Amino acid sequence: MRDDASIVHVDLDAFFASVEQRDKPSLRGRPVIVGGTGLRGVVSTASYEARAFGARSAMSTAEARAICPAGTAFLSPRFEAYRASSLAVMAVLRELSPLVEQVSIDEAYVDLRGADLEVSSTAHVREVLETLRRDVADATGGLSVSAGAASSKMLAKIGSDLNKPAGITVVEPGSELEFLAPMSVRAISGVGPATAARLRTFGVETVEQLRAMTHVDLVSIFGERHGHSLHELARARDDRDLTLTREAKSVSHEETFERDVHDRAVLRREIERIAQAVSARCEKAGVFGRTVHLKVRLPDFSSLTRSSTSPTPSRDADVIARTAQRLLDGLDLAQGVRLIGVGVSGFVTHAQSGLFELEAPVDTPAFPEAVGESSTAATPSSDDADPDADEAPSTLPQELTTRFSPGTTPSWRPGMDVHHDEFGAGWVWGSGRGRVTVRFEGPLTPKGPVRTFAVDDPALMPGEPPAWDDAAAASP
């Protein structure tokens, strides 16, 4: 642990939803949910307006629909837009200090000792974070961040969570124990629901109560590694440095059977178990992979290998297992299987994993009042239509791919960027019954008009994420 508050944790507030509200003026100040919009979808990010109704990340989309009011926007993710904003934020952080550890698409640690700054004064550190917050807003068209500065990574992350959104917390060196004492044990790194529940059986709910437990007791209850970690972190002892490089090229695990296996159900269960191990190793390494590999060795010692690459990086065990099982389904295993292995490669250091289900396109009316119930003509909606008074985007399962071949009909996902030859740039407001409704607006425009077209209208095509600053918008 350091003797100054030189480690900073920066976390973008409701990142995906905030990008959507920035790029879609009609959604500002309204509840927005970003995630899987299908029957098995999961919420990735809920705007603060949606959180007021109980919506939260990792909740099923079905549950979020049940508790959020009419007018809540349920949007599919736009990863290109999020990546562009993330890159802009990370560039700001690296201008502040070259020592930056990006831990996900929307959060990072910054070591202020790598900057030409005076960090012995917490007042000065606070000024630095205030400036940083303004710089991020300027660089991203108004996105907000929360930041915490402290003598360790754990305390900095706790600090960034304390006063969201757009909050700043600086933990005064020397006050760490006092700062932690009243907090729930869940504030400690590595304490999840199971550990917290076990501690509760011993009457331990706060960090101060955890600190009263002896090292011997914690090790006897939780084992050497976890027990020792709890003992040290409860005392604010965290000496982890920033991790600036990632060396892993791939992560894999294999199992050899005592007898050749012919039952595919057994192989599928084994893939699920192996995927758990691979997922845990990816999490430990802090990486997400785009490519899942399957290896099968036959009784004659010949090997079959298959791989599948997704545009969405993941380290989620279910995603890895399902992908490997699909690869298994395509193999001729009449001889039986001697060995099976699963691996992940194509690493990046940030992603939102396991949240968006790839489902078959379903043509359903998201906005019957906008799309129309009876007419099948490609008729634009009225110029003075007021969609703000109606239900915001919601739809049943839609395919997540955004790449289309010439001559094919795009799958219009709620929230996706589009471009029309006459009306310009906009986003999908809803689709169904062979039509798609688009709202034409962007981050630098007022709330825009709504128009409805046939899904195969040649003038309407998938578009690019809009520019959020005047200079970028003016560039060719």
Side-chain angles (χ1 to χ4, degrees):
M1 193 167 68
R2 301 182 178 187
D3 58 3
D4 55 39
S6 56
I7 296 181
V8 174
H9 183 262
V10 177
D11 194 1
L12 282 147
D13 299 319
F15 179 44
F16 287 6
S18 294
V19 171
E20 298 300 340
Q21 290 175 319
R22 178 198 65 193
D23 291 352
K24 300 173 173 61
S26 59
L27 298 185
R28 294 170 190 169
R30 296 172 60 176
V32 174
I33 301 287
V34 179
T37 59
L39 297 175
R40 299 177 59 211
V42 177
V43 175
S44 171
T45 307
S47 70
Y48 286 96
E49 295 86 353
R51 295 180 193 188
F53 297 96
R56 54 177 172 77
S57 139
M59 171 184 285
S60 72
T61 301
E63 185 178 356
R65 290 183 188 278
I67 64 176
C68 288
T72 299
F74 288 85
L75 307 176
S76 295
R78 298 183 303 131
F79 289 110
E80 289 186 15
Y82 309 147
R83 276 193 287 267
S85 293
S86 177
L87 288 171
V89 173
M90 298 306 153
V92 171
L93 299 185
R94 291 187 173 92
E95 287 180 5
L96 174 61
S97 169
L99 304 179
V100 175
E101 176 188 351
Q102 183 175 356
V103 294
S104 72
I105 195 171
D106 60 352
E107 62 177 318
Y109 290 97
V110 182
D111 189 342
L112 296 183
R113 288 184 175 179
D116 185 18
L117 296 170
E118 173 55 56
V119 294
S120 61
S121 165
T122 54
H124 183 62
V125 171
R126 180 177 292 278
E127 291 176 4
V128 169
L129 297 189
E130 293 283 4
T131 301
L132 174 63
R133 189 173 60 178
R134 291 192 295 270
D135 290 345
V136 167
D138 290 343
T140 61
L143 298 185
S144 73
V145 296
S146 294
S151 55
S152 70
K153 293 176 77 172
M154 181 185 73
L155 290 169
K157 181 169 176 57
I158 291 173
S160 71
D161 288 336
L162 275 185
N163 297 304
K164 279 182 163 290
I168 288 176
T169 301
V170 180
V171 182
E172 184 81 31
S175 70
E176 291 88 354
L177 296 181
E178 180 183 358
F179 175 75
L180 281 175
M183 293 186 176
S184 164
V185 291
R186 290 294 303 275
I188 297 293
S189 300
V191 177
T195 298
R198 187 76 186 279
L199 286 169
R200 197 174 301 117
T201 65
F202 296 93
V204 174
E205 296 193 18
T206 68
V207 177
E208 186 173 29
Q209 292 169 335
L210 177 61
R211 196 180 301 146
M213 296 187 72
T214 67
H215 186 274
V216 172
D217 286 342
L218 288 171
V219 169
S220 67
I221 297 168
F222 296 103
E224 178 64 35
R225 181 176 179 182
H226 193 28
H228 177 73
S229 175
L230 292 174
H231 182 268
E232 294 299 291
L233 293 177
R235 289 157 177 77
R237 297 171 186 163
D238 177 14
D239 295 324
R240 292 174 299 160
D241 288 323
L242 273 64
T243 303
L244 306 179
T245 58
R246 309 282 186 183
E247 298 298 336
K249 295 287 195 296
S250 65
V251 169
S252 62
H253 187 76
E254 299 177 353
E255 287 294 333
T256 300
F257 302 113
E258 292 184 4
R259 296 181 179 84
D260 296 341
V261 175
H262 293 79
D263 189 342
R264 284 183 179 267
V266 172
L267 295 174
R268 292 177 69 85
R269 289 196 297 270
E270 186 66 16
I271 284 175
E272 290 176 355
R273 191 183 68 79
I274 293 174
Q276 291 285 348
V278 172
S279 173
R281 290 179 60 189
C282 287
E283 183 172 0
K284 184 177 180 180
V287 294
F288 302 80
R290 297 183 183 277
T291 303
V292 174
H293 305 267
L294 176 70
K295 176 181 177 181
V296 173
R297 183 166 294 160
L298 305 178
D300 62 1
F301 287 90
S302 62
S303 294
L304 303 174
T305 59
R306 298 290 187 273
S307 65
S308 176
T309 299
S310 167
T312 307
S314 179
R315 64 183 178 205
D316 183 270
D318 289 340
V319 173
I320 296 170
R322 289 198 302 270
T323 304
Q325 288 168 343
R326 286 197 295 269
L327 295 173
L328 181 77
D329 291 342
L331 298 180
D332 180 1
L333 305 177
Q335 301 179 52
V337 173
R338 175 185 178 85
L339 172 150
I340 193 165
V342 176
V344 174
S345 66
F347 289 138
V348 296
T349 56
H350 57 274
Q352 298 291 330
S353 61
L355 298 175
F356 312 113
E357 298 291 341
L358 290 175
E359 304 179 72
V362 176
D363 187 31
T364 54
F367 306 98
E369 72 283 348
V371 176
E373 288 289 342
S374 57
S375 173
T376 58
T379 306
S381 60
S382 169
D383 286 342
D384 56 2
D386 182 15
D388 288 310
D390 300 319
E391 184 179 0
S394 60
T395 185
L396 291 176
Q398 295 287 333
E399 190 174 14
L400 295 185
T401 179
T402 58
R403 307 219 187 285
F404 309 103
S405 302
T408 64
T409 300
S411 174
W412 302 110
R413 299 177 291 106
M416 72 179 288
D417 296 307
V418 297
H419 188 276
H420 190 273
D421 289 347
E422 179 181 353
F423 298 105
W427 58 280
V428 173
W429 196 57
S431 64
R433 292 175 172 81
R435 283 158 292 165
V436 55
T437 298
V438 176
R439 187 155 200 166
F440 291 97
E441 62 181 5
L444 302 176
T445 75
K447 295 179 182 179
V450 174
R451 300 287 187 273
T452 299
F453 310 93
V455 294
D456 57 355
D457 189 321
L460 184 68
M461 290 298 293
E464 298 294 327
W468 62 77
D469 61 89
D470 293 309
S475 64

